[in-house]
Structures are given as C-alpha cells and as structure tokens.
Amino acid sequence: MKQAILVALFGLAFVPAAQAQMKDAAVVVDETEAVVTVTKVDAKARKVTFRGPKGGVATLTVPKEAQNLDKVKPGQQYKLKYVEAVAVAIQKGGKPAAAAAEEVKLNPKGGKPGGTVVRTVHLAGVIDAVDYTNRYVAVRGPKGNTVSLKVAADVPLEQLSAGDRISVTHTEALAIEMAAQAPAKKTK
C-alpha cells in the first residue's frame, strides 16, 4: 500500500509543472484499485495475464527491467493500483505535437515481484468530439490517433468544440505489489 501511495504522489508530481504553463487548466484524478489473480505467464514475451475481481481478463507487458518475472506464477494474487490524472487547456494555434516520459521503479532481484510505472504524455492536438454530459473529449494527435480523455469539472467544457486545438497533459501510474497469499490448506 505504501508503494501505491508513493506512485500516486509521484504520478501527480508531473502535473503541476505542466499545469503552470497552461491557461484554464485543471486536473482530474481517477484511481482504481483491485486484487487480481494471475492466469497465465509468458516469460519469453514478458506478458502476464490477470483476471480481475469481476471476471475481466487483461494482459500486462512486463518491462524488460523487471528482474523477478520468474517468481510470478498462475494462481498468485497481486494488488494493482492505477492512478490517472488529466490536465486540459485551450491552446490557440500551434501544430499538433506529442511527447512522453516514463519512469519505471521495480523491486530488486530476489524480492517480491512488483513495482511502479509512471507515464506522462503531453499532447497538442485537435478536438474531434466533445461529450458534454459525461465530460470527455476526443483529441486527435499528430499521427492521427484519437484519445478519449476525462475532463475536470472546473474546466469550462462548454467553451470547447470540435476543431479546437488544445493541449493535454495525461499522467498515468500503475503500482503492483504481491498480495498476501492465503496459507495452503492441510489435507487429512
């Protein structure tokens, strides 16, 4: 849990610097935490498949820096904490651009599998669509890819429309720690 709190704080540390440069910016934080069960490990491809508490399945690519993938086995449980922050602002003119930074901190070799990954993306693009009811914008980046992002309540969304150029800083963080395993039941 301590690690998850640190990643939340660390992930948000990227946002104030970007926010200070943007007019009418705001931050949204959305946090999800769940205990998941490993269903498959593909060590060669560095992929681990998890089943969530509601039965959904997701596959996570393990960074090459991870040294404890050999300890991850089907049936093990892990606590995942995902933190997402979005800053949105109107930017007059300019050309579409994108930049990203990623920080990976993993437990040392021989320790319990786990760690944190924080990724921050700055995207200047064009709004393709605005969902005023649910407070989302679809932003098209420089390569034509579109990203749907949550917009903070204090951003004047009614002032945005399709075709506007905006600047978005999107920070997401993922903390993974091995959950306490139940002791094996003894058979008589």
Side-chain angles (χ1 to χ4, degrees):
M1 184 66 167
K2 183 199 289 184
Q3 199 170 18
I5 292 169
L6 288 175
V7 81
L9 295 174
F10 183 69
L12 295 177
F14 286 106
V15 176
Q19 184 178 2
Q21 299 173 356
M22 294 188 280
K23 185 180 177 200
D24 299 327
V27 176
V28 170
V29 176
D30 190 14
E31 181 179 298
T32 304
E33 186 173 321
V35 174
V36 297
T37 303
V38 175
T39 60
K40 181 180 176 184
V41 178
D42 183 344
K44 187 173 181 179
R46 302 195 64 79
K47 295 189 182 291
V48 177
T49 303
F50 296 95
R51 180 173 310 281
K54 294 181 180 178
V57 176
T59 301
L60 177 70
T61 300
V62 178
K64 65 181 183 292
E65 299 90 351
Q67 302 178 54
N68 296 313
L69 182 58
D70 59 325
K71 291 185 171 187
V72 179
K73 307 289 183 214
Q76 291 178 328
Q77 291 189 321
Y78 288 83
K79 183 187 287 184
L80 297 182
K81 188 168 192 175
Y82 177 73
V83 178
E84 182 176 21
V86 179
V88 178
I90 298 171
Q91 180 182 27
K92 302 282 183 186
K95 294 182 180 181
E102 186 171 89
E103 172 123 6
V104 178
K105 292 186 179 185
L106 302 165
N107 292 346
K109 179 72 174 166
K112 287 185 178 180
T116 60
V117 177
V118 179
R119 181 174 170 82
T120 301
V121 177
H122 177 75
L123 174 66
V126 176
I127 295 176
D128 278 343
V130 180
D131 179 345
Y132 298 99
T133 305
N134 296 308
R135 302 199 56 81
Y136 277 87
V137 294
V139 182
R140 185 173 14 94
K143 294 183 179 179
N145 55 321
T146 301
V147 180
S148 178
L149 300 170
K150 182 79 172 162
V151 179
D154 55 347
V155 171
L157 192 58
E158 65 281 351
Q159 294 178 10
L160 299 177
S161 60
D164 287 346
R165 291 198 180 280
I166 65 168
S167 178
V168 178
T169 299
H170 179 240
T171 300
E172 55 189 343
L174 177 65
I176 301 173
E177 65 180 89
M178 189 171 216
Q181 301 295 307
K185 292 183 180 182
K186 293 182 182 180
T187 56
K188 293 182 181 183

